[in-house]
Amino acid sequence: MNRLLAATLLSLVSSPVLACDAVQLGTIEVEQAWSRASIGTSRPGVVYLTIRNAGTEDDALVSIDTPISGMPMLHETVVTDGIASMPHAMEVPVPADATVALEPGGYHGMLMDLTQVLKEGESFPVTLTFRNAGEVTVPVSVQGVGATDAGCSENNG
Ligand SMILES: [Cu+2]
């Protein structure tokens, strides 16, 4: 797989999906950002991604933003006595020298009030704000309705 430079982000609106490629922000690396196609705009969309903190200081993802949602939020799926709920997460801890995944069944970005239908094969930008590292915008690739991962080949483990 070709790893494209983060500089190609400058053209992310019109470029093909680059979500499998890592985006660097200091010692933070974000990769495999993906979402699912939506039936319409009445139900919230999701964002999943992987964050690596190669640094020696703990950080945290404190908010997400995207033009395709009127109210993007961080959620955590919690199962208590067999019943799943999705409380609002104030932040997602990203400890030093650790990899944290926003993934089905765990932390995720929830995109309330979608402003457009999410179509498979398209992508949209999401801006992540970290407490220490600051902001970075990554392209999120829209997978099929039943997708369970980013559809990237995991060859750089
Ligand atoms: Cu949620």
Side-chain angles (χ1 to χ4, degrees), residues 79-102:
V79 179
T80 307
D81 297 331
I83 298 171
S85 61
M86 294 195 302
H88 177 211
M90 293 306 292
E91 62 176 44
V92 177
V94 185
D97 195 26
T99 299
V100 174
L102 275 60

Side-chain angles (χ1 to χ4, degrees), residues 75 86 108 110:
H75 276 181
M86 294 195 302
H108 54 277
M110 187 122 277

